[in-house]
Amino acid sequence: MKKLVSVHGRSPRHWVGDGFPVRTLFSYNDLGRVANPFLMLDYVSPTPFEPTAQPRGVGQHPHRGFETVTLVYQGELAHRDSTGQGGLIGAGDVQWMTAGAGILHEEFHSPRFTREGGVLQNVQLWVNLPASAKQAPAGYQSIVSGDIPAVPLPSGDSDRPAGLLRVVAGDFNGVQGPAHTFTPMNVWDVALAPGAHPTLEVPEGHVAMVMVLHGRVKVNGPHELRDAQVALLTRAGTAIDLEVVTGGTPEDGGQPEQARLLVLSAEPIDEPVVGYGPFVMNSRDEIVQAVEDFNSGRFGRMAEAASPQ
């Protein structure tokens, strides 16, 4: 069984643009260096937005040297980038964007969400690229909810399933996820019933992390994780034991809660991590080159935005 190394998160919220009040649970400046290829995890906990005429979000900005993975749980986003790709990312959908050699993009609340308002909840994960792929062509994978296989988790002592695991990337019990990755990894979106106690298996030697979006969960031992916390586990071992804490608390009305988790594992990339804002490379010289290339317009250009619908 993998052992718990450390727990992170519960950080204060800060705004990215005017549309994303995020908690940065870890970044490449701290945990991301030992959790490589997982560089950063931003979480927008459920946040209500009133209807408005002007879309909220973050405007055109660059990336190089890694991938961004955006999972939307509630609400709807609109994305455009300099490859000409774009579209809507709704509840249950995933956007997997490869910055590679360089990309420009923007993310806003969708026209419908802007017009109608509602609750926004999403995660954005930064995934490193190995040195051999840092200059890969920029790319975009739009993964809709219906294309993500969902696998029931057996309970063991009940006819009812312990929960449901959606395979975004990698493999779970022979079920393959739709995302293409440059190095072996698993990205699992897991919903667990109250009191569920499943054990998940990941490859020996993988970096492994468990993030709690909702609920209270014990991960490989007595330590309890709560909303907006992430646990780093040892590379040694294969088992991740999860137990949803029952009984409820005064904050949740005393009722047993379900839990929603993001479970990550990946083959480590044991290479230097040198980051500067939206660029993550292997050396300071490569960062200097990234800044120069961006300033010189070598990341391409974005087409003019269409009128909102």
PDB file of all heavy atoms in Angstrom, residues 108-123:
ATOM      1  N   PHE A 108     -13.374  31.928 -21.036  1.00  0.00           N
ATOM      2  CA  PHE A 108     -14.423  32.770 -20.464  1.00  0.00           C
ATOM      3  C   PHE A 108     -15.619  31.901 -20.097  1.00  0.00           C
ATOM      4  O   PHE A 108     -15.750  30.767 -20.562  1.00  0.00           O
ATOM      5  CB  PHE A 108     -14.860  33.840 -21.467  1.00  0.00           C
ATOM      6  CG  PHE A 108     -13.880  34.965 -21.630  1.00  0.00           C
ATOM      7  CD1 PHE A 108     -12.893  34.928 -22.596  1.00  0.00           C
ATOM      8  CD2 PHE A 108     -13.953  36.079 -20.797  1.00  0.00           C
ATOM      9  CE1 PHE A 108     -11.982  35.962 -22.741  1.00  0.00           C
ATOM     10  CE2 PHE A 108     -13.048  37.129 -20.932  1.00  0.00           C
ATOM     11  CZ  PHE A 108     -12.063  37.063 -21.906  1.00  0.00           C
ATOM     12  N   HIS A 109     -16.489  32.433 -19.256  1.00  0.00           N
ATOM     13  CA  HIS A 109     -17.794  31.816 -19.071  1.00  0.00           C
ATOM     14  C   HIS A 109     -18.497  31.804 -20.430  1.00  0.00           C
ATOM     15  O   HIS A 109     -18.367  32.761 -21.205  1.00  0.00           O
ATOM     16  CB  HIS A 109     -18.630  32.596 -18.067  1.00  0.00           C
ATOM     17  CG  HIS A 109     -18.021  32.654 -16.698  1.00  0.00           C
ATOM     18  ND1 HIS A 109     -18.619  33.340 -15.662  1.00  0.00           N
ATOM     19  CD2 HIS A 109     -16.882  32.122 -16.182  1.00  0.00           C
ATOM     20  CE1 HIS A 109     -17.876  33.229 -14.574  1.00  0.00           C
ATOM     21  NE2 HIS A 109     -16.811  32.498 -14.874  1.00  0.00           N
ATOM     22  N   SER A 110     -19.217  30.738 -20.714  1.00  0.00           N
ATOM     23  CA  SER A 110     -19.896  30.652 -22.009  1.00  0.00           C
ATOM     24  C   SER A 110     -20.967  31.728 -22.117  1.00  0.00           C
ATOM     25  O   SER A 110     -21.443  32.265 -21.101  1.00  0.00           O
ATOM     26  CB  SER A 110     -20.541  29.278 -22.166  1.00  0.00           C
ATOM     27  OG  SER A 110     -21.698  29.174 -21.344  1.00  0.00           O
ATOM     28  N   PRO A 111     -21.375  32.061 -23.344  1.00  0.00           N
ATOM     29  CA  PRO A 111     -22.457  33.049 -23.498  1.00  0.00           C
ATOM     30  C   PRO A 111     -23.719  32.665 -22.718  1.00  0.00           C
ATOM     31  O   PRO A 111     -24.350  33.524 -22.095  1.00  0.00           O
ATOM     32  CB  PRO A 111     -22.697  33.062 -25.008  1.00  0.00           C
ATOM     33  CG  PRO A 111     -21.365  32.701 -25.592  1.00  0.00           C
ATOM     34  CD  PRO A 111     -20.783  31.689 -24.651  1.00  0.00           C
ATOM     35  N   ARG A 112     -24.090  31.380 -22.747  1.00  0.00           N
ATOM     36  CA  ARG A 112     -25.309  30.968 -22.027  1.00  0.00           C
ATOM     37  C   ARG A 112     -25.141  31.133 -20.525  1.00  0.00           C
ATOM     38  O   ARG A 112     -26.035  31.649 -19.832  1.00  0.00           O
ATOM     39  CB  ARG A 112     -25.649  29.518 -22.366  1.00  0.00           C
ATOM     40  CG  ARG A 112     -26.900  29.011 -21.632  1.00  0.00           C
ATOM     41  CD  ARG A 112     -27.305  27.637 -22.097  1.00  0.00           C
ATOM     42  NE  ARG A 112     -26.277  26.635 -21.829  1.00  0.00           N
ATOM     43  CZ  ARG A 112     -26.385  25.364 -22.166  1.00  0.00           C
ATOM     44  NH1 ARG A 112     -27.463  24.934 -22.802  1.00  0.00           N
ATOM     45  NH2 ARG A 112     -25.416  24.517 -21.881  1.00  0.00           N
ATOM     46  N   PHE A 113     -23.978  30.680 -19.982  1.00  0.00           N
ATOM     47  CA  PHE A 113     -23.750  30.812 -18.543  1.00  0.00           C
ATOM     48  C   PHE A 113     -23.693  32.281 -18.142  1.00  0.00           C
ATOM     49  O   PHE A 113     -24.198  32.674 -17.089  1.00  0.00           O
ATOM     50  CB  PHE A 113     -22.459  30.095 -18.154  1.00  0.00           C
ATOM     51  CG  PHE A 113     -22.223  30.008 -16.677  1.00  0.00           C
ATOM     52  CD1 PHE A 113     -22.825  29.024 -15.916  1.00  0.00           C
ATOM     53  CD2 PHE A 113     -21.405  30.932 -16.039  1.00  0.00           C
ATOM     54  CE1 PHE A 113     -22.617  28.944 -14.546  1.00  0.00           C
ATOM     55  CE2 PHE A 113     -21.188  30.864 -14.671  1.00  0.00           C
ATOM     56  CZ  PHE A 113     -21.790  29.871 -13.916  1.00  0.00           C
ATOM     57  N   THR A 114     -23.086  33.103 -18.997  1.00  0.00           N
ATOM     58  CA  THR A 114     -23.033  34.543 -18.734  1.00  0.00           C
ATOM     59  C   THR A 114     -24.437  35.134 -18.659  1.00  0.00           C
ATOM     60  O   THR A 114     -24.758  35.908 -17.749  1.00  0.00           O
ATOM     61  CB  THR A 114     -22.232  35.248 -19.847  1.00  0.00           C
ATOM     62  OG1 THR A 114     -20.893  34.747 -19.851  1.00  0.00           O
ATOM     63  CG2 THR A 114     -22.229  36.748 -19.658  1.00  0.00           C
ATOM     64  N   ARG A 115     -25.264  34.740 -19.604  1.00  0.00           N
ATOM     65  CA  ARG A 115     -26.621  35.294 -19.713  1.00  0.00           C
ATOM     66  C   ARG A 115     -27.537  34.802 -18.587  1.00  0.00           C
ATOM     67  O   ARG A 115     -28.349  35.571 -18.050  1.00  0.00           O
ATOM     68  CB  ARG A 115     -27.195  34.895 -21.069  1.00  0.00           C
ATOM     69  CG  ARG A 115     -28.555  35.459 -21.396  1.00  0.00           C
ATOM     70  CD  ARG A 115     -28.930  35.153 -22.824  1.00  0.00           C
ATOM     71  NE  ARG A 115     -28.972  33.714 -23.100  1.00  0.00           N
ATOM     72  CZ  ARG A 115     -28.116  33.053 -23.875  1.00  0.00           C
ATOM     73  NH1 ARG A 115     -27.108  33.696 -24.467  1.00  0.00           N
ATOM     74  NH2 ARG A 115     -28.228  31.750 -24.081  1.00  0.00           N
ATOM     75  N   GLU A 116     -27.397  33.512 -18.220  1.00  0.00           N
ATOM     76  CA  GLU A 116     -28.322  32.916 -17.258  1.00  0.00           C
ATOM     77  C   GLU A 116     -27.779  32.886 -15.829  1.00  0.00           C
ATOM     78  O   GLU A 116     -28.550  32.777 -14.871  1.00  0.00           O
ATOM     79  CB  GLU A 116     -28.666  31.489 -17.697  1.00  0.00           C
ATOM     80  CG  GLU A 116     -29.367  31.432 -19.051  1.00  0.00           C
ATOM     81  CD  GLU A 116     -29.641  29.999 -19.495  1.00  0.00           C
ATOM     82  OE1 GLU A 116     -29.292  29.068 -18.740  1.00  0.00           O
ATOM     83  OE2 GLU A 116     -30.210  29.831 -20.593  1.00  0.00           O
ATOM     84  N   GLY A 117     -26.453  32.947 -15.672  1.00  0.00           N
ATOM     85  CA  GLY A 117     -25.861  32.794 -14.352  1.00  0.00           C
ATOM     86  C   GLY A 117     -25.931  31.354 -13.886  1.00  0.00           C
ATOM     87  O   GLY A 117     -26.401  30.459 -14.595  1.00  0.00           O
ATOM     88  N   GLY A 118     -25.424  31.113 -12.692  1.00  0.00           N
ATOM     89  CA  GLY A 118     -25.432  29.758 -12.140  1.00  0.00           C
ATOM     90  C   GLY A 118     -24.203  29.520 -11.287  1.00  0.00           C
ATOM     91  O   GLY A 118     -23.494  30.453 -10.892  1.00  0.00           O
ATOM     92  N   VAL A 119     -23.956  28.244 -10.996  1.00  0.00           N
ATOM     93  CA  VAL A 119     -22.839  27.850 -10.141  1.00  0.00           C
ATOM     94  C   VAL A 119     -21.708  27.310 -11.017  1.00  0.00           C
ATOM     95  O   VAL A 119     -21.943  26.464 -11.885  1.00  0.00           O
ATOM     96  CB  VAL A 119     -23.262  26.774  -9.116  1.00  0.00           C
ATOM     97  CG1 VAL A 119     -22.055  26.276  -8.321  1.00  0.00           C
ATOM     98  CG2 VAL A 119     -24.313  27.346  -8.167  1.00  0.00           C
ATOM     99  N   LEU A 120     -20.506  27.811 -10.779  1.00  0.00           N
ATOM    100  CA  LEU A 120     -19.323  27.342 -11.499  1.00  0.00           C
ATOM    101  C   LEU A 120     -18.456  26.527 -10.548  1.00  0.00           C
ATOM    102  O   LEU A 120     -18.198  26.949  -9.412  1.00  0.00           O
ATOM    103  CB  LEU A 120     -18.521  28.522 -12.041  1.00  0.00           C
ATOM    104  CG  LEU A 120     -17.251  28.159 -12.831  1.00  0.00           C
ATOM    105  CD1 LEU A 120     -17.604  27.443 -14.128  1.00  0.00           C
ATOM    106  CD2 LEU A 120     -16.425  29.411 -13.129  1.00  0.00           C
ATOM    107  N   GLN A 121     -18.002  25.363 -11.020  1.00  0.00           N
ATOM    108  CA  GLN A 121     -17.068  24.521 -10.269  1.00  0.00           C
ATOM    109  C   GLN A 121     -16.168  23.816 -11.276  1.00  0.00           C
ATOM    110  O   GLN A 121     -16.658  23.133 -12.186  1.00  0.00           O
ATOM    111  CB  GLN A 121     -17.802  23.487  -9.413  1.00  0.00           C
ATOM    112  CG  GLN A 121     -16.869  22.604  -8.586  1.00  0.00           C
ATOM    113  CD  GLN A 121     -17.608  21.476  -7.865  1.00  0.00           C
ATOM    114  OE1 GLN A 121     -18.731  21.109  -8.252  1.00  0.00           O
ATOM    115  NE2 GLN A 121     -17.003  20.922  -6.828  1.00  0.00           N
ATOM    116  N   ASN A 122     -14.859  23.997 -11.136  1.00  0.00           N
ATOM    117  CA  ASN A 122     -13.958  23.317 -12.055  1.00  0.00           C
ATOM    118  C   ASN A 122     -12.566  23.162 -11.445  1.00  0.00           C
ATOM    119  O   ASN A 122     -12.214  23.829 -10.465  1.00  0.00           O
ATOM    120  CB  ASN A 122     -13.876  24.039 -13.406  1.00  0.00           C
ATOM    121  CG  ASN A 122     -13.136  25.341 -13.358  1.00  0.00           C
ATOM    122  OD1 ASN A 122     -13.725  26.391 -13.058  1.00  0.00           O
ATOM    123  ND2 ASN A 122     -11.841  25.322 -13.631  1.00  0.00           N
ATOM    124  N   VAL A 123     -11.800  22.277 -12.041  1.00  0.00           N
ATOM    125  CA  VAL A 123     -10.408  22.043 -11.664  1.00  0.00           C
ATOM    126  C   VAL A 123      -9.552  22.276 -12.898  1.00  0.00           C
ATOM    127  O   VAL A 123      -9.931  21.888 -14.008  1.00  0.00           O
ATOM    128  CB  VAL A 123     -10.208  20.597 -11.160  1.00  0.00           C
ATOM    129  CG1 VAL A 123      -8.728  20.215 -11.142  1.00  0.00           C
ATOM    130  CG2 VAL A 123     -10.800  20.423  -9.779  1.00  0.00           C
TER     131      VAL A 123
END
